Amino acid sequence: MRPCATICKIEDAGKRNQAIQGKKWRKNNPEKVKAIQKRSDEKRKNDPKRKAWQKAYDQSPQRKLYHEQYRKENRDDINARHRARNATPEGKRKNSEYNAMWRKKNKEYDRKRKQEWWRRTHPNPKPIGRPKKEAA
């Protein structure tokens, strides 16, 4: 096995040998390498600093402009993908769940809105029902 050009550039013989041995080990143990990569990917994915940066990056004007342009250029492909997905039983089920969730949210929102309107228009409502008899 011939080491790559970057390993050959390492001047320190001990470090160079260590790099060569590491490369051999990675070649001989691909499943262990995959497991290590998976663990580090999970760690990186759940890193709060990284998540905060990603959120800020996604909300940046440049990124939003890029997505807008992409959607404009590929509108037909995107719509075709959505139509194909929605035609499957899985897609239909997810759509009905999504619509039910929004119906529920709107119902709750309307209820709150009506309550607020009632309180605004009737500032001092009287108690509902018959007045209680006072004990003699």
Side-chain angles (χ1 to χ4, degrees):
M1 181 181 129
R2 187 181 165 273
C4 71
T6 53
I7 290 177
C8 295
K9 287 179 184 174
I10 299 173
E11 291 178 16
D12 183 11
K15 287 185 179 179
R16 184 172 52 240
N17 189 37
Q18 202 175 12
I20 292 168
Q21 293 302 317
K23 192 166 185 178
K24 281 183 188 174
W25 182 87
R26 282 191 296 281
K27 188 178 179 189
N28 295 333
N29 301 291
E31 65 285 335
K32 286 183 181 177
V33 169
K34 269 194 176 172
I36 292 168
Q37 285 173 342
K38 190 176 178 183
R39 274 199 310 271
S40 63
D41 283 350
E42 284 171 2
K43 250 189 237 172
R44 218 173 70 238
K45 196 166 61 179
N46 297 326
D47 179 20
K49 255 188 187 175
R50 200 166 187 281
K51 276 187 174 181
W53 179 87
Q54 187 67 46
K55 193 174 182 181
Y57 173 68
D58 285 341
Q59 291 173 348
S60 66
Q62 298 92 343
R63 194 74 179 149
K64 284 184 177 180
L65 182 67
Y66 165 78
H67 282 302
E68 194 178 308
Q69 285 174 342
Y70 176 83
R71 282 193 300 268
K72 204 179 284 180
E73 290 168 7
N74 301 300
R75 180 172 286 148
D76 295 336
D77 297 338
I78 293 169
N79 288 344
R81 278 200 308 261
H82 287 178
R83 277 194 302 275
R85 172 95 169 97
N86 293 340
T88 63
E90 174 75 8
K92 287 178 182 174
R93 185 180 61 75
K94 287 213 173 174
N95 267 353
S96 64
E97 286 173 7
Y98 180 78
N99 291 339
M101 183 257 310
W102 274 107
R103 277 195 302 272
K104 185 179 175 187
K105 276 188 175 181
N106 285 338
K107 199 175 187 180
E108 290 167 6
Y109 172 73
D110 285 344
R111 186 178 298 126
K112 284 180 185 172
R113 203 167 43 88
K114 283 176 185 171
Q115 284 175 351
E116 287 166 8
W117 170 82
W118 180 263
R119 289 192 182 117
R120 266 196 325 270
T121 55
H122 302 79
N124 190 11
K126 294 180 181 172
I128 298 169
R130 217 174 335 163
K132 292 181 182 175
K133 291 183 181 175
E134 291 187 23

